[in-house]
Each structure stands twice: as C-alpha cells, then as structure tokens.
Amino acid sequence: MTVWVDRLLRDGALERGVLFETDAAGSIVSEASGTALPASAIALDFAVPGFANAHSHAFHRALRGRTHESGSFWSWRELMYRAAGRLDPAHYRELAAAVFAEMVATGWTSVGEFHYVHHQPDGTPYHDHAMELALADAAAEAGIRLVLLDTCYLAGGIGRPLAAEQARFGDADAGAWIDRWHALRETLAGRSPLVTLGAALHSVRAVPRDALGRVARELPAEVPLHIHLSEQPAENEDCVGAYGRTPTELLADEGVLSPRLSVVHATHLTERDIRLLGDASVHAVFCPTTEADLGDGIGPGTELMEAGVTLAIGSDQNAVVDPLLELRALEAGERLRSLRRGRIEPAELWHIGSAGGYASLGLAQPARVGGPLDLVELDPNSIRTAGSRLEQLPLTATAADVRRTIVGGHVVAHDVTAVAERLQRAITTLFEENP
C-alpha cells in the first residue's frame, strides 16, 4: 500500500508531503518527506500516528448509561458480574465486533483487551478457547489491531476462593492458567495478522502471592504483562493487612516489576511505590474517563513520568470511547490535582496516546519504518478545532473530528449508524429487553 500525508504531526514536529510504502502485512518499508502526491496513493490531509487503547474490557460497554446514577466501584462491580454471567461465545463475538468497530470509528487503531471471561458460567471450559476466539474474530472483522491480554484470575479476594459469579474467570491454579495460555497461543497462531497474544494478572486481590511470581517467571520474556494496581484504597488496605506491604511492594518482592509490565490505574500510590515503578521502567496505563466515572480518584501521572514510568491511556469500561477525550481528561486531572495549567505538554500527550500505548502492548511503533502504518486523519477545521494550533488538538478535538482511521495501510471504515444499531441489538439481547 502507498499512503501520502500532506501534513503529518509526529514527535512534536509537523512534516509535509510524507509518503509511506508498506509490505503485504501493513508494515512500513520506506518513507520520504517533501514529496508530491502520487496518483495511486491514498491521500490524507492532516494525520497523526494511531492511538493505542492499552486497557479495555469490551463487554463493559454494555453497562454504558445503566450504572451512572449512584453507588461506588464495588456496587458497579456487582452489575458488571451480572453482565459477565450472561455472555456466551456467539453473543460475545457480536458485542465485541460492535465495540471494536466503535473504537476504530473514534480513532483507536490498536487495543489491549484485558480478558478474563474465559469459561462457562459454572467454570467448565469451552471447547477450543471459544471466548478468546470470539474476541479475536471480532477484532479481525472490525479491522483493529488486537493484543489479547489473557488474564490470570484465581481468587475472589486475598485469601478467599472465587465466588460463584467469578467461577468462569478462573483456572485451577497458576500452572493450569500457564498451560491454557500456551495452548491459546498455538490456537491463535496464523489466525489473523492483526491479533497477538499478551498476558495479564488481574490484581493482587485475584492472584495469590506465589502465583504472581510464577506467572512472571514462566511467561516468555517478550510477552507484555499487565495488571490492575492500586485502583482502590481498599485494595491497598487488604494487601498491607495480608502481606505487610503495598501492592507495588508485593510485586517488587515477587520479581514482577520489569519494563515489560504495565500497571493499570496506579491511582493510590505511596512515594516509595512511585520510585519502585520508575526504577523498574514499567508502563502505567491511565483510564481517566473510567476513573472519573467510578470515583476511583486521580493518579499521580506527572510524578510517575518524572520517576521514569512511561504513560499510556485506555478506555477500560468503555463508558467513553474517545482517545482524545482520554488525553484531555488526563491533563485535566493533573490540573485539578496541582491547581496549575499545562502539566503535560501537548507533544507529550500525543506521545502518550500513541507511542506509549503501543509500547505498553508490545507493539512496534506506528508510523515509523519497520512499524505498522497505523494513522488517524483528523479534521483541524471543525466547529471544535477551528483556530486551534495543530499540536494543541488533544485539548480541543474529539472523536467526532476523526475523518479516517488507517490500520496497516488500509482505510478501515464503518457506518456508525449501523454500528450503533448493532450495539443496541447486542446490549438489549444481553439484558433480555425489547429493542
């Protein structure tokens, strides 16, 4: 494929007339700047490297508009369990295909799906990884780059067995999960060039101490590993009560902290936690719209960056599917915490939304030779963006300003009305309502 970009904003600099050539897999084999538009090329006006959604739970999209009135993270979780209990492979494929199509339409070019709905509701395994294949096939249909973060989920809390509503999330022990992970990798091999397999530990609440270290040791070293970390004060309190250390300190003791690790949320951290995470060069995935919706709190983004942590963003529960709003909310949270403006420079916001997320997911950097040709074309002259400096668009644009999304050199287009209708059908079916 050949793609030409009149104005490309990359690494904080505006480049003109950039011509990309890709191989059959959509990886960039050459690029040149200052070129004229070839007759055969796909032409873009203004574009940026693709956005990476480094943390998603696709089925949580079904809860949008149903859980916002009151309560806490913990009451929301009970409603989430109810939705999880009703999924089957066929329905999950239909719902996920619509959710992933919504992501593509809003400018996400890749997604890390933090997946733990593995088995039948009673915990009996499906034949041949049916739920995982449902997600893989949904991503391939939607045309989004998927890193399936298959999640180890073994306990219902520190020292507690899985509850009945969590039975389908769990495997017998860490060894059983590791065996299933390797079998899944073999099953996914060659299925779609857009799909790769990563891994996740759900949290220190859901994975016993000995299993944390075992998973980190026995997974192949190149595989990205994610974990929910210190999202709620109660998680910290339970961990300190059980182990005498914070969740971050526990991960350090068990050898889990490393550059391949991404900690999700990282909202309630001590100064020592921040130093440990920075010294290990981990990634931190902030999900600002979810953290606001659930009342989680505002994490120490700038402190983590100063310590050496690479930030990324995610849509998490998908109450909002808009990378630009996530970036704006990240900066807004920093301003609210500090009572100061301009905490994260626009160039750094672009980097967090794209390069930071791709690195978190173990993917090659987009819009660079050797990496995937993943781009987002934006409208710099809309009613929202008119008059904006191009570098400041993360603070003015929204997903409504996405003109085209390019994944692997191909324009991926979806009829948003049809996607909305598909979402409506899937969600009303899940809750057994009349459409």
Side-chain angles (χ1 to χ4, degrees):
M1 298 294 296
T2 304
V3 177
W4 182 84
V5 186
D6 184 22
R7 294 174 293 173
L8 176 67
L9 187 62
R10 180 173 57 174
D11 297 330
L14 187 66
E15 303 172 52
R16 299 302 302 262
V18 182
L19 182 67
F20 293 104
E21 297 281 352
T22 74
D23 59 18
S27 295
I28 300 169
V29 295
S30 68
E31 68 167 80
S33 297
T35 68
L37 171 62
S40 60
I42 297 170
L44 309 179
D45 174 22
F46 169 70
V48 296
F51 294 113
N53 184 349
H55 187 72
S56 163
H57 302 288
F59 80 90
H60 290 189
R61 172 63 178 83
L63 300 177
R64 184 191 297 179
R66 294 170 173 268
T67 65
H68 306 296
E69 64 277 6
S70 63
S72 66
F73 168 85
W74 305 103
S75 59
W76 170 88
R77 191 178 70 159
E78 295 306 313
L79 296 171
M80 180 271 288
Y81 285 159
R82 190 181 310 168
R86 297 181 179 185
L87 292 170
D88 61 35
H91 190 265
Y92 204 8
R93 187 191 187 288
E94 183 67 13
L95 175 61
V99 175
F100 291 151
E102 181 182 8
M103 290 181 189
V104 170
T106 58
W108 298 109
T109 53
S110 62
V111 58
E113 181 62 26
F114 199 104
H115 166 65
Y116 51 80
V117 189
H118 302 301
H119 308 304
Q120 298 182 53
D122 65 357
T124 304
Y126 284 106
H127 174 69
D128 199 22
H129 311 285
M131 293 295 269
E132 290 73 36
L133 293 184
L135 288 167
D137 292 345
E141 177 189 339
I144 196 167
R145 198 175 302 283
L146 170 68
V147 179
L148 183 59
L149 298 167
D150 194 84
T151 302
C152 181
Y153 196 131
L154 302 176
I158 296 175
R160 297 200 302 270
L162 292 169
E165 62 269 21
Q166 299 167 320
R168 69 184 315 182
F169 307 161
D171 294 282
D173 54 30
W177 178 83
I178 290 167
D179 289 344
R180 186 175 58 76
W181 186 91
H182 282 282
L184 175 59
R185 184 162 70 163
E186 292 181 6
T187 299
L188 290 174
R191 193 173 185 91
S192 169
L194 291 177
V195 177
T196 56
L197 184 62
L201 299 156
H202 182 273
S203 60
V204 300
R205 290 182 288 107
V207 182
R209 180 175 188 170
D210 59 344
L212 293 169
R214 181 174 180 184
V215 168
R217 288 191 304 272
E218 296 188 18
L219 274 177
E222 75 279 4
V223 173
L225 179 63
H226 287 219
I227 186 171
H228 294 122
L229 183 74
S230 294
E231 181 178 5
Q232 290 287 323
E235 174 186 333
N236 291 354
E237 294 164 5
D238 290 348
C239 190
V240 171
Y243 303 121
R245 49 192 40 78
T246 67
T248 298
E249 291 169 337
L250 181 65
L251 296 183
D253 287 351
E254 297 303 314
V256 181
L257 299 185
S258 76
R260 64 105 167 249
L261 182 71
S262 291
V263 295
V264 181
H265 303 304
T267 307
H268 302 282
L269 302 176
T270 67
E271 291 184 1
R272 173 171 164 75
D273 291 340
I274 293 170
R275 289 196 302 272
L276 288 169
L277 295 172
D279 289 346
S281 300
V282 307
H283 302 81
V285 184
F286 278 30
C287 306
T289 63
T290 288
E291 289 146 9
D293 180 66
L294 296 181
D296 288 344
I298 301 172
T302 50
E303 291 91 335
L304 285 166
M305 293 169 64
E306 290 167 359
V309 171
T310 299
L311 291 193
I313 53 168
S315 65
D316 195 357
Q317 63 161 327
N318 295 301
V320 176
V321 177
D322 186 327
L324 291 153
L325 288 184
E326 297 293 348
L327 291 171
R328 192 182 310 178
L330 175 63
E331 167 63 8
E334 286 297 316
R335 295 182 182 194
L336 289 169
R337 285 198 313 120
S338 67
L339 306 182
R340 291 171 51 202
R341 301 182 77 220
R343 296 287 286 163
I344 304 176
E345 292 295 323
E348 186 63 34
L349 290 174
W350 288 118
H351 182 85
I352 290 168
S354 180
Y358 272 72
S360 168
L361 296 175
L363 298 171
Q365 294 296 290
R368 286 168 171 71
V369 172
L373 183 50
D374 295 353
L375 298 167
V376 178
E377 184 182 35
L378 297 171
D379 183 356
N381 300 307
S382 75
I383 196 168
R384 290 161 297 279
T385 61
S388 298
R389 294 177 178 173
L390 294 178
E391 68 272 14
Q392 294 198 20
L393 287 179
L395 302 173
T396 61
T398 73
D401 300 307
V402 173
R403 285 176 168 169
R404 284 180 289 184
T405 302
I406 294 86
V407 179
H410 296 276
V411 177
V412 185
H414 292 286
D415 180 334
V416 293
T417 300
V419 172
E421 292 172 350
R422 193 172 185 182
L423 283 165
Q424 182 73 23
R425 287 193 302 271
I427 292 167
T428 54
T429 299
L430 182 66
F431 291 107
E432 299 176 350
E433 300 170 350
N434 293 321

